[in-house]
Amino acid sequence: MTTIKGVLFDFSGTLLHIEPAESWLRAALTASGTAMDEAELARRAAALERAGALPGGAPPVEIPAALAGQWEIRDRDARLHRAVYTGLARQVPLPAPELYDALYERHKTAEAWRPYPDAAEVLAELHRRGIRIGVLSNIGWDLRPVLRAHGLDRHVDTCVLSCEHGLQKPDPQLFALACRELGLAPSDVLMVGDDRTADGGATAVGCAFLPVEHLPADGRPDGLRPVLDLVG
């Protein structure tokens, strides 16, 4: 049996979870100085969620034809990522045009993300054992400040972000690149993620794969701890 020497973690839905749509919209309203009563806020937040406008949240119930092709490759480029998600949000009428950009900016803040309860403990223990640690994410912006704000960066050796390489999971090239960043052969690396298609693509280059459930942070208190058994 191969000894695991490195672990790659997905970001959204694996190490951290995005805030609910209502608090996301409320924060954007506050940032833009726009008033909205609570009942209307709840309705608009639900509509934004159905539209799939919150990155890291639920996917769109229906993707507009004009965005369909871009949706599939949204994580390869930062400008495209912003255009797709603000485009989805614009399907929902909001009282001020600046709210669409405010919503996008909000989701990139540390306050919009909640670490899973066992994330810090698992990363610290892996680091203590001498395991190389990376974050490999399909994302359109730099997540490093969010990791730093939550104290998770101290144990992470490298971050490989799709938008910085023009590749997105499950492209084998991105997994191979991440393994090189760890300085390890793929056969020595475990990929941990909540998407069996995107993250599970790691097996194509020879990595092991451990799926976790995509649940709110308080609904998955110890989903990452099985990693410690696999690298023990």
Side-chain angles (χ1 to χ4, degrees):
M1 182 176 176
T2 301
T3 300
I4 298 296
K5 300 176 183 176
V7 182
L8 291 168
F9 290 93
D10 175 49
F11 174 73
S12 173
T14 300
L15 288 176
L16 300 96
H17 197 280
I18 193 66
E19 67 184 329
E22 283 193 26
S23 63
W24 172 57
L25 177 54
R26 184 177 290 108
L29 288 166
T30 300
S32 67
T34 306
M36 185 180 291
D37 68 61
E38 285 297 310
E40 186 62 20
L41 188 152
R43 286 193 292 270
R44 300 296 176 98
L48 287 164
E49 191 164 19
R50 288 193 300 272
L54 174 56
V61 172
E62 184 177 350
I63 302 172
L67 294 175
Q70 295 175 327
W71 170 261
E72 295 301 326
I73 58 171
R74 66 194 181 281
D75 294 316
R76 297 184 193 175
D77 178 84
R79 286 175 294 181
L80 181 60
H81 191 270
R82 176 184 283 270
V84 167
Y85 280 103
T86 55
L88 291 170
R90 285 190 176 94
Q91 295 180 95
V92 180
L94 295 175
E98 62 268 23
L99 277 169
Y100 301 105
D101 281 322
L103 285 168
Y104 189 83
E105 290 303 320
R106 167 65 186 186
H107 102 275
K108 297 193 296 179
T109 66
E111 293 78 15
W113 294 89
R114 182 178 174 189
Y116 283 91
D118 56 348
E121 173 191 340
V122 169
L123 292 178
E125 177 59 20
L126 290 173
H127 179 78
R128 187 191 69 78
R129 296 182 190 182
I131 302 298
R132 297 279 290 168
I133 299 169
V135 173
L136 173 55
S137 178
N138 280 354
I139 199 165
W141 48 277
D142 185 2
L143 56 77
R144 296 174 184 88
V146 174
L147 292 178
R148 192 176 309 121
H150 288 289
L152 300 180
D153 66 311
R154 68 193 69 179
H155 304 306
V156 174
D157 298 295
T158 188
C159 289
V160 176
L161 312 182
S162 60
C163 64
E164 295 180 351
H165 299 283
L167 301 166
Q168 65 187 51
K169 298 177 289 186
D171 191 323
Q173 295 180 81
L174 195 60
F175 294 109
L177 188 157
C179 291
R180 289 197 298 272
E181 288 283 320
L182 290 179
L184 297 171
S187 58
D188 294 329
V189 175
L190 170 68
M191 177 74 212
V192 182
D194 64 304
D195 188 322
R196 291 174 183 268
T197 299
D199 300 314
T203 59
V205 298
C207 296
F209 173 56
L210 175 67
V212 295
E213 292 186 89
H214 183 99
L215 294 169
D218 58 3
R220 206 195 73 199
D222 53 9
L224 294 172
R225 287 199 173 90
V227 174
L228 300 178
D229 297 329
L230 292 174
V231 301

